[in-house]
Amino acid sequence: MEALDLQISHLSKAYHKPVLQDVCLALRNGSFVSILGRSGCGKSTLLNILGLIEPWDRGEYVLNGRTLHRREDHSRLRQKYIGFVFQSYHLIPTLSCRENILLPLLYSRQRTKRFEALVERLELEPLLHRRVPTLSGGEKQRVAIARALLQDPCLILADEPTGNLDPKNRDVILSLFRQEQKEGRAIVMITHDAEAARAADQVLHLEGGVLCET
Amino acid sequence: MRPESRIHHAVRMLRRNLRSYAMLSITLVFSFSVLLGYFLFSDSRGYNDFKEIFSSPREIVMAYARSEDPTELQVLKQQVTEQLPGTGAYLYFDVSTRLPQYGDVLANVSVLPNQASIVFREVSDDVIFENYTLPVTVVQGQGFPLGENRAVINRSLFRLLSPSETLPFTLEIPFQMEDGSRILRKVEVVGVCEDLSEVAPYYNSEGVLCAQTQIYVSQSLFSTEELPRLSQRKPLLLIHSNAPEKAAAYAQQFDLVLHAVCRAQNAAIGELHARAKSKALIALVLHGLLCLNLYGCFSNALSDRRYEIGIKRALGAGKGTIVGQFFAEGIMVMLGSILLAVLLITGLAAIYKLYGLLVSGKQWIAYLTPYSLGMFLVSSVGMSLLLSLLFAFRATGTEIAAQLKSE
């Protein structure tokens, strides 16, 4: 796993009105941060900016000492450092579970030995050859997490990962995140669920575009 | 775990999206078929309209006298052979005769110059029925030039005269002279040539057996005194020249029925050029419509795949990788569609040919000029490359977050 030292400072983003204002956040290996906030307050935008899939308007993004330009294509950095887990899973419906999990390898051109380990750990063996539309919500989320962890990322960005799950599946996912945190991964989790947010070491609140500690 | 190759992935995505690509392919196949079909059928029309003219030897000019007097032809012969280098001219004629010993068959006899090595079909009458000239093809036995007392006859006459169809055999031909007398010549039939048309032998109202009859004999069959005294001669000057246009210009100065293959070919080329202009215009319009059609199809296909693109880019796929995948998919679909269009049009052409043969008995030949083939291949493959690339670049033109929201 790569070392992580990510710092964003004074970061702002606006669509028609300001969404994020002067946001500062630092992440290192082993950080587990939950971000709470109302719907539409900019949580997902912040996560997308952290994940380098959306440009920011102002501010600084420094990853392992390198300042990133807001408009560049950061696909290599995403591939190397970041794993995404989404509320709506974002699995490709025309592919099988196995093909979805292995998709990131297509872009890194690296071999990995983690596939079998993840399949065993997330109990995905019976699902591997099934198509995505035939899976339950919990199963989809396990597949999405396996895909996010396949390349051993040092940062996991989870956008409401338990939002569509029942309490039992929610606990499975949260305990998995805690385990990943212990292995040295940084985790940023966006959630509405205050109880789920308590699984993190640091709970932040986003309100009016401003990120503050509760 | 070894990563999958990108081409393999593109093939997999193509297979998984086969239904939407099949819908797209219908439009693509139709579009390419219209373009190829237009080229094929317009070229074939030109080819079938003029194929006999262009298969005729360009260097041949034929001049027929309007009467039995060959004087003008003799003057013309002298002029062209003296003034045009590389020019040969042969004066010969046809006579009609009856062969009473063979059921009173009415026969047309072409009396050829001694040294004529090529004989043309259209010398058999003083009226040019068709606007072309084709060499007579010998299908059995010996051909031209004819030796003394030798003859070549056409296949239908051969069947009438020699039911056992064996060569050689002796044939007696009576020739009518201007003074009313008849001279009889024995010739040895040494060759058989193809019929001029496919009309079967029949008896006319006077009970005379009529058939496609053509006998070719040499002028050496007659003495120099006898030749000008043959009755009902229809003299013809056959000019074989490296400068056929000039030879035709000389012939035009006389009161002759003139046929120059080069003139017929020039007229055909003019007609084809005129057609080519309208063809180019229609092809341009078709290309424009095809481009619009393909662009619309790919845009629709792309909007269906935006979500997938968003996921892949979020997982670390660079713009180049996405461009590569969609380019590969686009190329595969386009080339598959081109292949299907070629098969479809080939099948349609075969059906059309068969229909023509069975219904109207016409031999229609499917023909595509190298220019049209090149234009189709360049434009279809070029369009495939261009639109696939455009399709691929457009696939990466949207922000990832927006693509993920497009589910």
Side-chain angles (χ1 to χ4, degrees):
Chain A
M1 188 190 309
E2 299 283 334
L4 177 74
D5 180 9
L6 190 159
Q7 290 182 27
I8 55 169
S9 45
H10 310 294
L11 193 135
S12 300
K13 172 81 178 177
Y15 293 116
H16 300 297
K17 57 178 187 176
V19 179
L20 299 174
Q21 295 182 66
D22 214 24
V23 171
C24 298
L25 184 68
L27 295 166
R28 288 192 174 74
N29 294 85
S31 307
F32 191 169
V33 179
S34 285
I35 300 173
L36 282 165
R38 287 182 294 106
S39 292
C41 71
K43 299 188 300 294
S44 295
T45 303
L46 175 58
L47 200 78
N48 288 343
I49 290 172
L50 279 171
L52 300 170
I53 59 175
E54 199 167 342
W56 56 97
D57 294 342
R58 279 193 309 277
E60 202 175 45
Y61 188 125
V62 182
L63 179 62
N64 290 348
R66 181 185 155 199
T67 304
L68 305 184
H69 190 271
R70 64 192 191 92
R71 283 281 171 195
E72 273 176 23
D73 179 13
H74 299 298
S75 52
R76 283 195 177 278
L77 297 177
R78 277 199 300 278
Q79 178 198 105
K80 189 173 177 184
Y81 294 105
I82 301 168
F84 282 100
V85 179
F86 300 96
Q87 181 184 9
S88 48
Y89 326 115
H90 289 334
L91 299 171
I92 296 176
T94 50
L95 296 179
S96 69
C97 293
R98 180 191 163 85
E99 289 160 353
N100 266 290
I101 295 169
L102 291 173
L103 204 54
L105 290 189
L106 195 64
Y107 311 118
S108 67
R109 316 300 303 148
Q110 288 172 348
R111 293 179 181 219
T112 180
K113 292 177 179 172
R114 283 175 62 82
F115 177 74
E116 286 80 8
L118 283 167
V119 166
E120 192 183 334
R121 188 167 149 200
L122 292 164
E123 298 173 3
L124 293 172
E125 185 63 45
L127 310 180
L128 285 179
H129 297 289
R130 282 171 62 184
R131 290 288 173 88
V132 173
T134 65
L135 304 180
S136 70
E139 289 169 335
K140 283 180 186 169
Q141 199 57 291
R142 276 155 48 209
V143 171
I145 289 172
R147 184 182 65 184
L149 295 176
L150 185 75
Q151 296 212 87
D152 203 13
C154 53
L155 173 62
I156 292 177
L157 300 174
D159 189 355
E160 309 223 21
T162 57
N164 287 337
L165 304 181
D166 57 44
K168 189 186 161 197
N169 272 312
R170 183 192 67 183
D171 293 342
V172 170
I173 301 300
L174 291 176
S175 82
L176 190 78
F177 280 173
R178 276 192 292 268
Q179 220 171 327
E180 293 300 323
Q181 180 203 7
K182 280 177 197 158
E183 286 179 17
R185 260 176 262 285
I187 298 166
V188 178
M189 180 172 71
I190 280 174
T191 183
H192 276 114
D193 182 353
E195 196 181 331
R198 277 197 289 276
D201 297 335
Q202 189 184 13
V203 179
L204 301 175
H205 204 90
L206 187 64
E207 195 169 347
V210 179
L211 193 64
C212 50
E213 204 152 347
T214 50
Chain B
M1 183 65 63
R2 183 186 291 219
E4 185 182 38
S5 85
R6 286 177 187 166
I7 289 291
H8 187 204
H9 180 72
V11 173
R12 183 195 300 279
M13 293 312 295
L14 184 71
R15 281 169 52 201
R16 296 291 161 82
N17 291 283
L18 209 54
R19 187 175 293 178
S20 65
Y21 272 131
M23 298 304 291
L24 175 66
S25 278
I26 290 172
T27 317
L28 294 181
V29 170
F30 177 75
S31 303
F32 285 129
S33 298
V34 168
L35 189 64
L36 180 61
Y38 176 71
F39 282 144
L40 181 73
F41 283 92
S42 60
D43 282 358
S44 298
R45 186 182 151 219
Y47 180 79
N48 286 283
D49 285 353
F50 301 116
K51 63 185 175 193
E52 284 162 333
I53 292 176
F54 287 114
S55 65
S56 299
R58 186 175 175 79
E59 61 276 11
I60 297 300
V61 176
M62 291 189 300
Y64 299 81
R66 294 188 190 278
S67 67
E68 291 183 25
D69 181 9
T71 313
E72 284 189 317
L73 291 177
Q74 280 163 342
V75 174
L76 176 61
K77 180 183 174 186
Q78 194 178 352
Q79 275 190 1
V80 292
T81 48
E82 283 176 3
Q83 294 183 27
L84 296 176
T87 299
Y90 309 99
L91 185 64
Y92 63 112
F93 47 86
D94 287 355
V95 293
S96 291
T97 187
R98 287 176 187 275
L99 303 173
Q101 67 276 42
Y102 300 104
D104 210 16
V105 174
L106 192 64
N108 191 65
V109 184
S110 288
V111 185
L112 308 175
N114 302 339
Q115 68 277 45
S117 56
I118 309 168
V119 180
F120 293 91
R121 288 168 54 159
E122 299 311 313
V123 302
S124 59
D125 209 309
D126 58 352
V127 177
I128 300 168
F129 291 110
E130 295 177 65
N131 201 16
Y132 61 87
T133 300
L134 291 175
V136 169
T137 308
V138 174
V139 292
Q140 190 179 337
Q142 295 171 27
F144 305 97
L146 293 170
E148 197 174 346
N149 301 329
R150 299 279 190 274
V152 168
I153 62 175
N154 70 308
R155 198 196 303 261
S156 291
L157 186 61
F158 180 51
R159 285 178 186 153
L160 280 173
L161 303 185
S162 173
S164 61
E165 297 192 7
T166 50
L167 285 175
F169 66 92
T170 305
L171 175 65
E172 283 193 336
I173 311 173
F175 289 94
Q176 191 77 31
M177 308 304 276
E178 279 177 339
D179 59 6
S181 63
R182 291 205 313 173
I183 55 173
L184 200 63
R185 290 288 183 271
K186 272 188 184 176
V187 292
E188 194 172 27
V189 178
V190 293
V192 177
C193 65
E194 63 183 4
D195 286 341
L196 299 183
S197 74
E198 292 169 2
V199 178
Y202 65 97
Y203 286 94
N204 68 9
S205 56
E206 294 166 1
V208 177
L209 181 61
C210 298
Q212 269 286 320
T213 58
Q214 189 66 46
I215 303 172
Y216 297 98
V217 297
S218 168
Q219 287 177 8
S220 59
L221 205 59
F222 306 96
S223 65
T224 46
E225 292 79 27
E226 285 172 330
L227 263 175
R229 290 175 45 231
L230 282 167
S231 177
Q232 293 184 322
R233 282 172 294 131
K234 295 166 184 173
L236 159 77
L237 184 68
L238 187 121
I239 302 167
H240 184 277
S241 174
N242 293 335
E245 280 92 352
K246 285 182 182 171
Y250 276 115
Q252 200 140 32
Q253 299 166 12
F254 300 92
D255 181 27
L256 300 168
V257 177
L258 179 70
H259 173 54
V261 174
C262 61
R263 288 188 172 185
Q265 287 183 349
N266 291 347
I269 289 167
E271 170 69 20
L272 286 175
H273 279 170
R275 288 186 193 179
K277 281 180 191 167
S278 58
K279 183 179 154 187
L281 191 68
I282 294 171
L284 194 70
V285 172
L286 280 177
H287 274 96
L289 290 173
L290 180 60
C291 258
L292 284 176
N293 196 12
L294 298 187
Y295 183 78
C297 290
F298 273 120
S299 291
N300 284 340
L302 185 63
S303 62
D304 290 346
R305 305 281 297 277
R306 283 179 69 205
Y307 177 57
E308 175 197 324
I309 296 163
I311 294 172
K312 287 180 171 172
R313 291 192 65 199
L315 294 178
K319 286 188 176 183
T321 313
I322 297 290
V323 167
Q325 182 202 322
F326 279 80
F327 183 61
E329 284 185 41
I331 285 289
M332 282 187 274
V333 171
M334 291 282 232
L335 292 183
S337 302
I338 291 171
L339 187 67
L340 283 175
V342 169
L343 291 175
L344 181 69
I345 291 302
T346 308
L348 280 178
I351 291 170
Y352 185 72
K353 185 183 175 79
L354 202 63
Y355 175 82
L357 267 178
L358 295 177
V359 175
S360 56
K362 281 185 182 171
Q363 176 77 10
W364 180 82
I365 293 170
Y367 180 74
L368 195 61
T369 60
Y371 177 73
S372 293
L373 182 65
M375 188 147 76
F376 174 73
L377 287 178
V378 167
S379 60
S380 56
V381 174
M383 259 190 270
S384 301
L385 290 170
L386 192 72
L387 286 165
S388 299
L389 208 58
L390 189 67
F391 172 55
F393 272 112
R394 281 194 57 200
T396 58
T398 321
E399 280 184 6
I400 302 169
Q403 287 169 326
L404 288 173
K405 283 174 194 163
S406 69
E407 183 191 20

